[in-house]
Amino acid sequence: METRPYFVLGDFAVNIVAGVVVASISAALFGPGWNMVLAMIVAMALGMLISLPLALLSGALFGAMEVMVPVMTTGMVAGMVVSMSAAMGEIAFGSAAGLGASSGVGVTVATYLANVVIKGRAVRWTS
Amino acid sequence: MDLVTRNKWDRAAANFDLMAGYGPEKRWAPRKRELFSRMGDGKILFLAVGTGLDVPFFPEGRNIVGIDISERMLEKARARTDLYRGTLELKQMDVHEMPFAEGEFDQVFTSCTFCSVPNPVKGLEALRRVLRPGGELHMFEHTGSRYFPFNMMMNLMTPLSRKVGPEMNRPTVENVVAAGFTLDEVQHVFLDVVKIIHARR
């Protein structure tokens, strides 16, 4: 597990920013007129797309795949959560940004945990 | 020589260090230093030197031939390879057309290479040919993932990423086996996406 403060703080900061950006855009684009499932699918794809340039830019500072994979996941999750909320009823930008930031923190923690679990599975490759 | 691949990496050379030179290298430095500490006293082939970002991790006093398909990359690499305390010879070369004799090398090292070699199994077979029997292959590579949603994202990204650089969803461990190597160990560095692979001819 990554323990160097520069990278740990960087991982959380980049994912929170990605979550807030995607959530804000999703809140602006989606509303009660949308079918919830359609909104979710469109927002997930859009979230990944929007977060890609953020991942590439911040990757130059904090790492390649270690940044790109969770940031795109955050984009997908933040888009999904906010678009579904917006489809159910109006959502304020502040609330959307909060959901986006929470998505960023959640995905970062989940990625760190997944990393520990998946690393443990490498042993089965050993001949 | 594969001109499409050569031209792609010639174009990428100008901004390569900007994208890969700080964050990724600093993040991977401990694992790369550990990997390259396996460099022995025999003749070593380092595939895809790029701009030479990995050279500072090489142990001193080794006998290394570094190749890359892009002359622009090699031009940038020279500033780093000139500082290496040992023998480090650079050559522009396509992995699929290496003129080295069979079994000429004791070890081969790669670093984020087989995401970009156009025909990875043939490229690995070419490496196997130039390794002596029992010779070692050590790789630091990013690959595709077996796990959702990481695999989905990488599959979606690959058509875009391959136009400017690497593919994101290569099954490199399986390719190593398909090329006839005996797999010794695979270590996961990040999820099952960034890996260190140890194999033998």
Side-chain angles (χ1 to χ4, degrees):
Chain A
M1 186 187 286
E2 182 61 67
T3 55
R4 291 169 290 179
Y6 173 81
F7 292 111
V8 175
L9 293 173
D11 287 344
F12 276 97
V14 168
N15 278 282
I16 288 170
V17 169
V20 169
V21 169
V22 170
S24 302
I25 293 171
S26 298
L29 287 177
F30 300 99
W34 277 79
N35 173 283
M36 191 193 289
V37 176
L38 182 65
M40 181 189 79
I41 292 167
V42 173
M44 285 169 78
L46 200 63
M48 281 200 291
L49 205 64
I50 293 165
S51 57
L52 180 58
L54 285 170
L56 293 175
L57 288 173
S58 49
L61 289 175
F62 300 112
M65 312 308 281
E66 290 86 348
V67 171
M68 195 190 73
V69 170
V71 165
M72 288 182 69
T73 309
T74 292
M76 188 176 74
V77 171
M80 178 183 77
V81 170
V82 173
S83 66
M84 288 174 76
S85 302
M88 286 191 286
E90 290 292 340
I91 182 167
F93 270 102
S95 305
L99 284 174
S102 305
S103 302
V105 171
V107 168
T108 307
V109 171
T111 305
Y112 272 58
L113 293 174
N115 198 28
V116 171
V117 172
I118 291 172
K119 267 187 173 179
R121 292 180 186 170
V123 72
R124 71 199 171 90
W125 284 103
T126 307
S127 60
Chain B
M1 182 173 287
D2 177 354
L3 297 179
V4 173
T5 303
R6 187 199 68 183
N7 293 341
K8 179 168 79 173
W9 290 105
D10 276 349
R11 282 194 300 274
N15 297 315
F16 189 80
D17 284 3
L18 193 65
M19 294 305 292
Y22 186 76
E25 283 303 306
K26 202 170 171 184
R27 191 144 196 166
W28 291 335
R31 301 306 301 270
K32 283 193 171 182
R33 199 167 280 120
E34 184 187 321
L35 174 70
F36 297 134
S37 71
R38 291 181 179 238
M39 285 182 168
D41 294 328
K43 195 168 180 184
I44 297 163
L45 175 65
F46 188 86
L47 178 65
V49 174
T51 61
L53 288 169
D54 290 327
V55 174
F57 304 132
F58 293 175
E60 292 181 2
R62 300 303 191 267
N63 180 15
I64 305 165
V65 176
I67 68 169
D68 201 285
I69 197 167
S70 162
E71 181 57 34
R72 296 264 167 82
M73 288 280 189
L74 291 176
E75 282 167 12
K76 289 192 162 248
R78 285 192 180 92
R80 294 186 172 103
T81 57
D82 286 349
L83 297 174
Y84 178 65
R85 293 180 185 172
T87 305
L88 177 43
E89 188 183 357
L90 295 183
K91 294 182 177 186
Q92 186 190 10
M93 204 176 284
D94 186 333
V95 66
H96 300 104
E97 300 165 3
M98 291 186 294
F100 303 120
E102 185 165 344
E104 187 169 335
F105 294 93
D106 297 288
Q107 293 178 305
V108 173
F109 285 79
T110 73
S111 177
C112 298
T113 303
F114 275 89
C115 50
S116 306
V117 172
N119 190 332
V121 175
K122 285 212 179 304
L124 285 158
E125 284 170 350
L127 292 183
R128 189 172 177 276
R129 184 188 71 79
V130 300
L131 261 178
R132 67 167 168 77
E136 301 167 357
L137 172 68
H138 302 286
M139 310 172 84
F140 187 99
E141 298 286 341
H142 66 83
T143 69
S145 174
R146 295 175 171 213
Y147 301 102
F148 181 85
F150 312 125
N151 49 3
M152 180 190 73
M153 286 188 299
M154 289 177 168
N155 289 337
L156 287 171
M157 273 195 69
T158 293
L160 186 69
S161 67
R162 75 158 62 101
K163 291 189 189 304
V164 291
E167 297 197 1
M168 298 295 175
N169 59 357
R170 287 273 176 95
T172 301
V173 176
E174 288 82 351
N175 289 343
V176 167
V177 174
F181 284 97
T182 302
L183 206 57
D184 282 335
E185 189 184 4
V186 177
Q187 300 169 1
H188 289 165
V189 176
F190 173 68
L191 299 171
D192 63 335
V193 173
V194 183
K195 296 184 177 87
I196 290 174
I197 303 163
H198 303 292
R200 273 175 295 115
R201 176 176 171 179

